[in-house]
Amino acid sequence: MILGRVLNAATDAVSEATSRKKKSEKIIRGAVVLVKKNVLDFKAIHTSIADSLRELVGKGVTLQLVSRDNADPANGNGGKVGKLEALENWNLTFTPPIAGGDSLYKVSFEWDEELGIPGAILLRNNHAAEFFLKTITLEGVPGAGRIHFLCNSWVYPVKQHKKPRVFFSNKTYLPHETPAPLRKYREEELKALRGFGEGELKFGDRVYDFATYNDLGKPSSSKLKRPILGGSAEYPYPRRGRTSRPPSKSDSTAESRRFLPATAFNIYVPRDEQFGHLKQSDFVGFALKGLVTQITPIFDALVDLTPNEFDSFKEVDNLYYNGLPLPTGVLNQIVSHIPLPMIKEVFRTDGQRLLKFPVPQVIKADKTRPPTAWRTDEEFAREMVAGVNPILIRLLKEFPPTSKLDPEVHGHQNSSITKEHIEYNLEGLSVEEALRSNRLFILDHHDTVIPYLRRINTTGTKTYASRTILFLKGDSTLKPVAIELSLPSSEGEKFGAVNKVYTPAEHGVEGSIWQFAKAFVAVNDCGHHQMISHWLNTHAVIEPFVIAANRQLSVVHPIYKLLHPHFRDTMTINALAREILVNAGGLMETIFYTSKYSMEFSSLIYKSWNFLDQALPTDLKKRGIAVDDGNSLHGLRLLIPDYPYAVDGLNIWFTIEKWVRDYCSFYYKMDKMVQQDPELQAWWKELREVGHGDLKHEPWWPKMQTREELIDSFTIIIWIASALHAAVNFGQYAYEGYSPNRPTLSRRFMPEKGSPEYAELERNPEKAFFKTMTSQLTSLTGITLVEILSKHPSDEVYLGQRTPEWTTDAIPLSAFEAFNNRLSEVEGEILKLNMDKKLKNRVGPVNVPYTLLYPTGEVGLSGKGIPNSISI
């Protein structure tokens, strides 16, 4: 009896306590969107079975709410942590499909008043395989309603990462605004991303760290040995992401590497920086086409009577209009070496067995066969303001042009162009009058090329440094009036350059010589475009910003949220470039005239790189192309009014600047807030002193002490990552896909009178051209490469687009909508300008409208679209 009364009393007490607890308890329902690995990789089916077994014993995916309101002293004053809960029904064979392999799961959390409003979630993956977590959404949270967590991250099993992952809600906090219970998690997450600076980095790791470019060559090979770029005054360079591959056995300062195409995707990149499934499929599909270079020797002798050479422009046209027929025996050899998907990509599958490329835009609208519009002087000059490298032409301020090279080292390097060479072609003006009226311009590839030219010409390359003088006509088109080709003196560096000047001619052997001179200029311009304008000034210089941002800026920091879309895929594409493009013996050395000195050449140019000069208005004024004018649009007047890159670029630049200004002004009300932001200051310090450490003492670096410095710097970063890269990348196939228009290297010097080459030029100028410029095999390689690089993948994200619900702050969301609307207006303005017949540079003789800075693109070779980031 006594025992019974005790039990009854205990039961009553428990019931009363339970009743009181239930009054403060509530169930919060959550929805989790993720992608299972086995959806993306059929090879992962065994891990799917193992995951199902773990679910049966309750060891699946577990989550815990973390309070943003209430700290727990037992948790180091971190937020109070809720009960462990598991995703429901993982083992169901069917989960509600959303899109692209997404799966939707439910989770229920017990909530009480002590927990308060959740600000973060701890998640553990107890499965055998990783999954990609997209979002977590909580509904009906007392005092908050709906809370959204934007995750977009790979979550690996706890056996690889011992600690649970933390995901924050989409609230945005400056460091001092972070709720106290969440600060511990904010700091710990950044520590995890920084790593320890040593040790092996595995495929699923999330560590961001810096390294020099010590992975380009093979020290044990005299042919493949290359200098380390970065960390020295002789070879300064931006830093890359650390991969932790072991040092080379023959040189401990260099990183080891394997020269195997199969390993290209195995180099370490932080997991969340790696290509998504669609992007990787697209890139692999397109990049496999590059393997055509492995089989071209097999059919090379069969497609031409002169192995490795084109004989005429008509033969080049066959690549696009008729295709190169492949005999059955050759095709069988190809099939045995190349995977089936690549066969479908490279060769037509209609039974004709043809190697055939898309028709490049530069010849597509030309109805003459072979096409001739690309050969005109007007088109040659137009591509300097509307082509794939429209960022070098500058105003000529003194005549003749002078060199800035040190005469003590390089001797006399000034130009030999005289008034007599050009004055007859200036529409009645004298040289002095043309200079005073801002009518003379120059494309100068002299001072950048001369320091390396002697070494470059010891390789298979035989080429020149060049200066091209252009005259601005009354209709705002340009015409070349003189080209100077220069070689280092045979007597030595201190004896200066040997110059020869060529002037326009249309007919006979003089006309052919003039076409050769323009081709040698194009060789210079192609090399500079690919190694400097494209690789160095976009890909390489941005990577340190990506690394430092992930190491120093929390995902809830407003600047991280501003910049993160503009860093997508950059580390991965750069890692792949180091494996197959810019490495020793890679495609850049094979295709472009700079050969094995390509990366050294870019290091030389990096010495004079200036972050502030990357701002488009600053760049245009520095080149003398624009002058301040309060009565002109944007306060700038262009001296070449019909300059498509500059006109469209300025519209995009100031649209970006307005968005950045509105965004930053919301979070930073005064300069003091910039100065007192520890994460921002740590990021900028590491970026300057480590990421671009070889230039850390340059006086032009912004001090990051004012809001204006903040706005200017972030506008430059976004400009480089989006519009500048789009302008120099996605038009490559349009102009370089037709190799005679922009040959990438030259193998013989200009034919001289009395030589066998000159006699050949007189007999057969087309054959002489192709024997002098890029070979057939190199042309096929180059065409394939620029086709890959010029394509927009199917998962491209363009400027003005981003994942929904990236922040809860209404004013930044409204500013972003205004940004998007303004970009749409710019699109309309571009279309209108391209239809204006008075603006001849907008389409040119080849009838190619300038759309490289048209914000929205299309999949494939669309020739338009500004992606958010450098992702190809």
Side-chain angles (χ1 to χ4, degrees):
M1 291 291 292
I2 296 175
L3 180 59
R5 286 196 296 270
V6 171
L7 290 175
N8 288 337
T11 301
D12 291 341
V14 170
S15 297
E16 183 179 353
T18 302
S19 177
R20 286 198 304 268
K21 186 176 179 181
K22 284 184 177 179
K23 290 179 182 178
S24 66
E25 278 187 351
K26 180 180 175 64
I27 299 299
I28 295 176
R29 305 294 181 186
V32 177
V33 178
L34 57 82
V35 184
K36 295 181 180 180
K37 183 183 180 183
N38 65 304
V39 173
L40 305 177
D41 183 0
F42 70 92
K43 296 178 182 178
I45 188 66
H46 65 284
T47 61
S48 179
I49 295 171
D51 291 347
S52 297
L53 294 175
R54 283 177 172 80
E55 287 288 334
L56 291 175
V57 295
K59 294 183 178 180
V61 178
T62 60
L63 303 91
Q64 290 174 284
L65 300 180
V66 179
S67 175
R68 83 173 191 204
D69 298 331
N70 301 315
D72 182 357
N75 185 29
N77 286 321
K80 180 178 173 60
V81 178
K83 184 180 176 182
L84 204 67
E85 305 289 356
L87 287 189
E88 300 168 6
N89 300 319
W90 180 278
N91 282 344
L92 286 180
T93 55
F94 173 80
T95 54
I98 305 173
D102 293 359
S103 294
L104 174 64
Y105 291 96
K106 301 296 184 182
V107 61
S108 299
F109 298 97
E110 290 184 9
W111 177 92
D112 60 38
E113 293 176 356
E114 292 183 9
L115 186 66
I117 296 175
I121 289 178
L122 299 179
L123 186 145
R124 293 172 177 82
N125 176 11
N126 299 299
H127 287 157
E130 67 271 25
F131 57 81
F132 186 74
L133 179 64
K134 289 193 167 184
T135 62
I136 303 172
T137 306
L138 305 180
E139 300 286 355
V141 179
R146 183 177 183 273
I147 301 179
H148 189 69
F149 297 75
L150 184 61
C151 308
N152 285 335
S153 180
W154 283 95
V155 181
Y156 271 68
V158 291
K159 65 182 180 182
Q160 181 165 342
H161 300 293
K162 303 302 182 185
K163 293 186 177 181
R165 289 290 305 279
V166 60
F167 294 99
F168 298 94
S169 71
N170 60 349
K171 297 282 289 183
T172 305
Y173 302 109
L174 287 169
H176 74 277
E177 298 170 336
T178 308
L182 297 182
R183 290 176 186 171
K184 168 180 178 287
Y185 296 99
R186 180 172 183 153
E187 294 166 2
E188 288 180 349
E189 176 72 353
L190 284 174
K191 288 180 181 178
L193 292 170
R194 286 194 285 266
F196 303 103
E198 57 185 19
E200 182 183 1
L201 296 172
K202 299 178 182 178
F203 182 76
D205 285 348
R206 304 168 58 234
V207 172
Y208 294 79
D209 206 352
F210 297 97
T212 60
Y213 278 70
N214 65 347
D215 64 339
L216 299 175
K218 190 175 182 180
S220 61
S221 168
S222 59
K223 183 179 179 181
L224 298 175
K225 186 176 182 178
R226 299 290 182 270
I228 293 171
L229 304 185
S232 68
E234 184 178 6
Y235 298 115
Y237 221 66
R239 299 301 187 264
R240 62 169 176 92
R242 183 171 75 91
T243 62
S244 81
R245 290 185 294 194
S248 167
K249 293 180 180 179
S250 55
D251 182 354
S252 62
T253 64
E255 188 174 280
S256 62
R257 57 178 291 135
R258 297 179 185 177
F259 289 82
L260 298 172
T263 65
F265 282 88
N266 293 337
I267 187 170
Y268 172 79
V269 175
R271 186 64 179 96
D272 288 342
E273 300 298 327
Q274 295 172 27
F275 288 161
H277 179 64
L278 286 176
K279 176 68 170 286
Q280 183 151 316
S281 297
D282 283 351
F283 189 84
V284 171
F286 296 152
L288 280 176
K289 188 171 180 180
L291 290 179
V292 71
T293 59
Q294 302 298 317
I295 50 89
T296 44
I298 299 175
F299 60 77
D300 186 52
L302 300 173
V303 298
D304 202 298
L305 294 176
T306 310
N308 290 320
E309 304 294 349
F310 291 114
D311 285 338
S312 66
F313 292 110
K314 183 178 179 180
E315 287 189 5
V316 178
D317 287 0
N318 284 337
L319 288 174
Y320 315 103
Y321 293 103
N322 300 315
L324 296 180
L326 301 176
T328 302
V330 173
L331 189 62
N332 289 338
Q333 286 185 332
I334 294 170
V335 171
S336 67
H337 288 89
I338 306 299
L340 179 61
M342 181 195 163
I343 296 295
K344 294 179 179 178
E345 174 69 18
V346 179
F347 305 106
R348 286 175 51 178
T349 56
D350 58 2
Q352 296 189 33
R353 303 187 304 276
L354 297 174
L355 172 66
K356 189 176 181 182
F357 291 93
V359 181
Q361 284 180 285
V362 74
I363 62 170
K364 196 169 188 177
D366 196 335
K367 302 304 179 184
T368 59
R369 291 291 174 268
T372 57
W374 68 271
R375 303 180 68 176
T376 62
D377 287 357
E378 182 181 344
E379 178 60 23
F380 171 72
R382 186 192 77 93
E383 291 181 21
M384 299 178 196
V385 295
V388 75
N389 195 27
I391 61 176
L392 295 181
I393 187 173
R394 60 180 173 84
L395 181 69
L396 185 63
K397 297 182 178 180
E398 57 182 347
F399 188 89
T402 58
S403 171
K404 294 182 180 179
L405 294 175
D406 185 352
E408 293 295 320
V409 177
H410 299 283
H412 180 76
Q413 294 289 341
N414 291 340
S415 175
S416 301
I417 301 174
T418 65
K419 293 180 181 180
E420 289 72 24
H421 285 124
I422 68 171
E423 208 155 51
Y424 75 95
N425 211 0
L426 302 183
E427 296 183 352
L429 297 179
S430 68
V431 168
E432 290 78 12
E433 290 171 329
L435 286 172
R436 284 197 301 270
S437 58
N438 298 324
R439 302 281 293 275
L440 289 178
F441 295 83
I442 184 170
L443 181 71
D444 194 342
H445 288 296
H446 184 92
D447 283 8
T448 54
V449 175
I450 278 291
Y452 267 91
L453 188 55
R454 189 183 303 275
R455 280 170 283 180
I456 287 171
N457 281 342
T458 63
T459 67
T461 295
K462 298 294 180 285
T463 198
Y464 303 88
S466 65
R467 292 182 175 108
T468 304
I469 307 296
L470 303 112
F471 176 72
L472 181 65
K473 298 165 62 177
D475 61 0
S476 198
T477 61
L478 293 156
K479 67 175 179 179
V481 294
I483 291 173
E484 180 182 72
L485 301 180
S486 304
L487 288 171
S489 170
S490 59
E491 298 181 45
E493 293 294 331
K494 293 185 177 182
F495 290 88
V498 177
N499 306 326
K500 188 164 185 179
V501 180
Y502 301 87
T503 55
E506 294 185 12
H507 305 292
V509 69
E510 292 82 7
S512 297
I513 290 290
W514 176 243
Q515 290 296 331
F516 271 52
K518 291 191 293 183
F520 280 114
V521 172
V523 168
N524 280 173
D525 201 59
C526 271
H528 193 286
H529 161 257
Q530 200 62 263
M531 296 311 306
I532 310 304
S533 303
H534 184 200
W535 166 255
L536 174 65
N537 287 347
T538 64
H539 285 259
V541 301
I542 279 293
E543 186 163 359
F545 289 87
V546 182
I547 300 168
N550 282 278
R551 287 168 55 85
Q552 303 296 344
L553 298 175
S554 167
V555 294
V556 299
H557 196 290
I559 300 309
Y560 181 91
K561 292 192 176 189
L562 173 68
L563 296 179
H564 183 251
H566 305 290
F567 295 158
R568 177 178 182 257
D569 292 343
T570 300
M571 289 188 71
T572 295
I573 194 63
N574 284 4
L576 289 171
R578 298 196 310 273
E579 289 297 285
I580 60 177
L581 296 179
V582 301
N583 59 297
L587 289 174
M588 296 304 180
E589 292 190 357
T590 301
I591 296 170
F592 295 95
Y593 84 94
T594 42
S595 187
K596 69 178 184 178
Y597 298 104
S598 295
M599 287 294 280
E600 282 187 54
F601 175 61
S602 70
S603 173
L604 174 70
I605 305 302
Y606 178 66
K607 290 180 179 180
S608 59
W609 183 79
N610 182 322
F611 175 70
L612 293 179
D613 286 350
Q614 309 313 302
L616 180 60
T618 303
D619 168 58
L620 293 173
K621 287 190 285 186
K622 185 176 181 180
R623 290 192 281 127
I625 298 294
V627 294
D628 291 318
D629 184 349
N631 296 320
S632 298
L633 183 64
H634 308 306
L636 292 172
R637 177 168 57 87
L638 294 174
L639 299 186
I640 305 175
D642 184 14
Y643 188 167
Y645 165 74
V647 172
D648 296 355
L650 286 171
N651 281 332
I652 296 293
W653 169 271
F654 284 103
T655 301
I656 294 172
E657 196 267 352
K658 175 67 164 57
W659 152 238
V660 172
R661 180 173 299 278
D662 291 345
Y663 184 88
C664 291
S665 297
F666 176 77
Y667 293 104
Y668 296 91
K669 306 299 184 187
M670 57 191 74
D671 292 344
K672 188 176 181 180
M673 295 180 69
V674 175
Q675 299 161 14
Q676 295 180 350
D677 183 338
E679 289 185 9
L680 177 70
Q681 294 300 326
W683 170 63
W684 194 249
K685 177 181 173 64
E686 184 171 66
L687 164 75
R688 189 178 68 251
E689 295 184 0
V690 182
H692 282 280
D694 297 332
L695 302 180
K696 63 184 177 182
H697 296 302
E698 294 294 335
W700 42 255
W701 279 108
K703 306 302 181 186
M704 205 54 73
Q705 296 295 298
T706 68
R707 189 170 66 182
E708 281 303 309
E709 287 182 313
L710 196 76
I711 293 166
D712 291 345
S713 297
F714 296 153
T715 304
I716 292 172
I717 294 167
I718 294 173
W719 165 259
I720 293 173
S722 59
L724 179 59
H725 179 258
V728 300
N729 182 73
F730 292 101
Q732 291 187 81
Y733 192 78
Y735 293 101
E736 295 176 7
Y738 185 68
S739 59
N741 183 55
R742 287 179 65 82
T744 58
L745 59 82
S746 49
R747 299 169 292 152
R748 300 196 309 195
F749 292 119
M750 181 73 82
E752 299 290 344
K753 281 187 177 181
S755 68
E757 290 80 12
Y758 194 89
E760 181 181 51
L761 176 67
E762 291 179 306
R763 292 193 309 271
N764 191 336
E766 290 190 15
K767 187 171 184 178
F769 179 89
F770 288 109
K771 289 181 73 172
T772 301
M773 299 301 160
T774 315
S775 70
Q776 184 186 57
L777 182 58
T778 304
S779 294
L780 291 173
T781 308
I783 292 168
T784 301
L785 174 64
V786 296
E787 183 186 357
I788 294 167
L789 297 180
S790 301
K791 285 182 173 179
H792 288 290
S794 56
D795 71 341
E796 196 80 274
V797 183
Y798 296 99
L799 194 64
Q801 301 175 352
R802 62 183 303 165
T803 307
E805 298 190 74
W806 55 276
T807 184
T808 59
D809 294 327
I811 292 178
L813 286 171
S814 177
F816 186 74
E817 183 179 2
F819 173 56
N820 204 355
N821 291 337
R822 174 57 189 142
L823 289 172
S824 296
E825 293 174 0
V826 171
E827 291 183 344
E829 293 166 9
I830 289 173
L831 294 177
K832 185 178 179 180
L833 289 170
N834 285 344
M835 294 177 65
D836 190 336
K837 300 299 183 183
K838 292 181 292 184
L839 302 176
K840 296 183 179 180
N841 290 333
R842 298 295 308 192
V843 296
V846 294
N847 196 24
V848 179
Y850 188 74
T851 56
L852 292 175
L853 289 176
Y854 186 91
T856 306
E858 300 168 4
V859 174
L861 292 170
S862 63
K864 62 180 180 179
I866 304 176
N868 268 328
S869 62
I870 300 167
S871 57
I872 188 67

